[in-house]
Amino acid sequence: MRLLIRNARIALPSGELYHGDLFSEEGRIVAIDRDIDRTADTVIDAEGHMLMPGVMDPQVHFREPGNEQKEDISSGSRAAAKGGVTSFLEMPNTNPATTSPAALADKLARGAEKSVVNYGFFIGATPDNLDSLLAADAACGIKIFMGASTGNLLVDKEEDLDRIFAHGRKLIAVHAEDEARIRERRAQFSGSCEPADHSRIRDEESALMATRRAVRLSKKYQRRLHILHLSTAVETEFLRREKTPYISCEAIPNHLFLTTDAYAKMGPLAQMNPPIRSEQDRLALWEGLRSGVIDCIATDHAPHLLADKALGYPRAPSGMPGVETSLPLMLTAMRDGHCSLAELQRWMCYNPARLYGVVNKGRIAIGWDADLTLVDMTHEKPVRNEEMFTRVGWSPFNGWVLTGWPVTTVVGGRVVFDKGEILPNAHGQPLHYIEPTPLSAMD
């Protein structure tokens, strides 16, 4: 399969824009030049739009198996492609949960059948499945819910956490909220129907306590640790002091663009775990990204039906969709001077692949995988619920006017999304991972 993209502004890793053509063959970039004269199976006229690496979203919840009425791998991956996301890593809190090699193999088979972009899956830790964690070679990492879990996925006892960190080498990703403190705080707000109390119950201290605990265990065993959806200024400052080459972390658009003011307008639609925070926290996360304390951006795409959200607080489930709006949000922020193109590519494309040991993804360079997205930086348009590809059909950013919407998305040198449509026979490939190494040794 040979692909030729003509007349593009090609985003190089440095952030420079190279006006020219790109040619890929058998899924790899083989030429970048001013005027490529080669025969191709597919030729795209980029019309001067910006061509950048496809996004890797390292935290999504596609709800399959068990809650396909909210999302499944097919609908979620299509939403990803629409948003310029060419690879995703999916979480294990499905029903049944992904806590064994057999359940992981089932997820991979579903991905092979249904996903239009590249896919990877976590295995979930429980207090008693260490043997399964050690045998899950095909997992991108081990997910530990230190708080806010579903089913049997809560791991909050010290002896269980210590045992998991002590055995094996696979990356551990943690949802860092302290379950004991959350229970104490929930009792203090018993009977509350005010959505804003969600951020008071799951306060900054509950996040910091769990992050400290995870960092201590990572240091004790020199175990690769990734802290998911960092949300507070105090965690950012703690990690500025305490991060080691074995520790990484991420931020998500919900925490980068929303604050607790959103509760007044959105109610339970703004409810998620960890919750949205103050303006001070939001600005601290941006500073953490720019200074390198925070390594990458994920979405924690966690769709719920509007009918479920309408149950009101505290009955409404926590989580928001986000996989198809993350790139336009960040490109709009880039246009407005909040980050550079080089930073955006590092946070959304290269670093997620690097941190999880996925090779040859996240850069436009000769020999790298042809996972690409062509984005239109010349026109603005609003986010519209009715245009969302996610099955739940809504976005917390409904009505926001954004630029940088993907026009075409390419996975492995094949067009999977073009001008608003998923192409027939679009499909992705399973991701493969190298042995986790200290971050200082990865570049």
Side-chain angles (χ1 to χ4, degrees), residues 5-6 74 104 166 183 218 285 288 378 390 418:
I5 301 176
R6 292 192 179 280
S74 177
L104 180 62
R183 289 173 180 171
S218 172
L285 295 177
T378 63
T390 174
D418 188 54

Side-chain angles (χ1 to χ4, degrees), residues 22-39:
L22 180 146
F23 185 80
S24 74
E25 190 168 10
E26 301 303 321
R28 292 287 178 93
I29 299 168
V30 297
I32 300 170
D33 211 336
R34 296 293 181 193
D35 188 11
I36 296 175
D37 183 17
R38 298 200 190 190
T39 302

Side-chain angles (χ1 to χ4, degrees), residues 165 171-174 214-215 218 223-227 246-248:
F165 272 83
L171 176 147
I172 292 174
V174 297
V215 166
S218 172
R223 186 71 180 265
R224 269 289 286 119
L225 168 68
H226 185 72
I227 301 166
Y246 289 90
I247 297 171
S248 58

Side-chain angles (χ1 to χ4, degrees), residues 72-140:
D72 62 16
I73 292 170
S74 177
S75 64
S77 68
R78 282 160 168 74
K82 177 177 178 264
V85 174
T86 53
S87 300
F88 66 80
L89 303 179
E90 205 263 352
M91 288 296 165
N93 54 327
T94 47
N95 185 20
T98 314
T99 56
S100 69
L104 180 62
D106 176 68
K107 279 271 193 82
L108 287 164
R110 293 168 185 262
E113 179 186 358
K114 299 181 178 183
S115 184
V116 303
V117 300
N118 302 317
Y119 51 91
F121 300 99
F122 284 85
I123 186 168
T126 74
D128 55 7
N129 75 333
L130 180 61
D131 288 346
S132 289
L133 302 182
L134 295 174
D137 293 335
C140 61

Side-chain angles (χ1 to χ4, degrees), residues 34 43 107 118 126 134 142 167 201 211 258 274 279 350 368 381 393 432:
R34 296 293 181 193
V43 179
K107 279 271 193 82
N118 302 317
T126 74
L134 295 174
I142 295 167
H167 293 88
I201 292 168
T211 294
L258 301 175
E279 176 70 359
Y350 177 62
W368 287 61
K381 71 171 186 175
H432 301 283

